[in-house]
Amino acid sequence: MNGYQNRIAYVDLTLNNIEFNNVPVEDLYRYMGGRGLGIKLLYDLLPENTYPLSPENLLIFTVGPTCGTFIPASSRWNVTTKSPLTGILGSGNAGGSWGSELKWAGYDGIVIKGKAEEPSILVITDDHIELIPAGDIWGKNTWETEDSIRSILKDPRYKVVSIGPPGEKLVPIANL
């Protein structure tokens, strides 16, 4: 399957469990791109009437088939959820190298649900995903968070997506 890894990681923060599944090939092509795949996963997996700020809501990170290639503007990655502001679809995208790194690690997406017992870091390294305690990072701004995570992991090359203090306080318009 050109452009796809055909692998999604499912992270349950409540159960501290990580599983991996393939995506049906027809879904990869029918719902092409990070946004299409993210919306399809949200539609299929989100329980009806889920409150947006509950642990049952999903946070879905996805990349499309050209992410991680040298095609111009192909480094975009998407995040999909039920929006806490509107109560309907929330979808956004960003550039940079995080999406490419996700694809190079072997994933087309990550679906996160639940609530961890303590602030945590989801660490993704080539074909391995683990949750580690966030320690004293909680409450720091995103710049400080990035520096702290790279220091904890002892590698300045890690790419970081973080929520920052507004996300920690469940502000409905908080960003990643």
Side-chain angles (χ1 to χ4, degrees), residues 40-71:
K40 170 68 170 151
L41 289 167
L42 185 72
Y43 180 81
D44 287 349
L45 301 173
L46 186 69
E48 195 173 329
N49 300 316
T50 298
Y51 177 66
L53 292 175
S54 72
E56 291 76 31
N57 196 4
L58 304 173
L59 189 60
I60 303 171
F61 297 88
T62 48
V63 294
T66 63
C67 191
T69 69
F70 292 108
I71 296 172

Side-chain angles (χ1 to χ4, degrees), residues 27-108:
D27 285 354
L28 291 174
Y29 291 103
R30 186 175 293 134
Y31 307 99
M32 187 174 286
R35 184 169 191 207
L37 181 57
I39 292 170
K40 170 68 170 151
L41 289 167
L42 185 72
Y43 180 81
D44 287 349
L45 301 173
L46 186 69
E48 195 173 329
N49 300 316
T50 298
Y51 177 66
L53 292 175
S54 72
E56 291 76 31
N57 196 4
L58 304 173
L59 189 60
I60 303 171
F61 297 88
T62 48
V63 294
T66 63
C67 191
T69 69
F70 292 108
I71 296 172
S74 66
S75 67
R76 308 301 292 180
W77 55 274
N78 201 80
V79 61
T80 308
T81 190
K82 184 174 184 180
S83 170
L85 183 63
T86 65
I88 54 175
L89 175 67
S91 178
N93 72 81
S97 55
W98 189 87
S100 296
E101 293 287 345
L102 180 65
K103 177 66 74 83
W104 296 334
Y107 304 96
D108 294 309

Side-chain angles (χ1 to χ4, degrees), residues 98 120-125 128-135 137 144-161:
W98 189 87
S120 302
I121 302 168
L122 184 66
V123 182
I124 304 167
T125 52
H128 179 74
I129 298 178
E130 67 179 318
L131 282 167
I132 63 171
I137 295 175
E144 295 167 331
T145 296
E146 286 188 29
D147 291 340
S148 295
I149 289 173
R150 290 180 179 130
S151 177
I152 289 168
L153 299 176
K154 297 178 176 53
D155 190 340
R157 297 172 295 170
Y158 270 94
K159 310 306 181 221
V160 177
V161 176

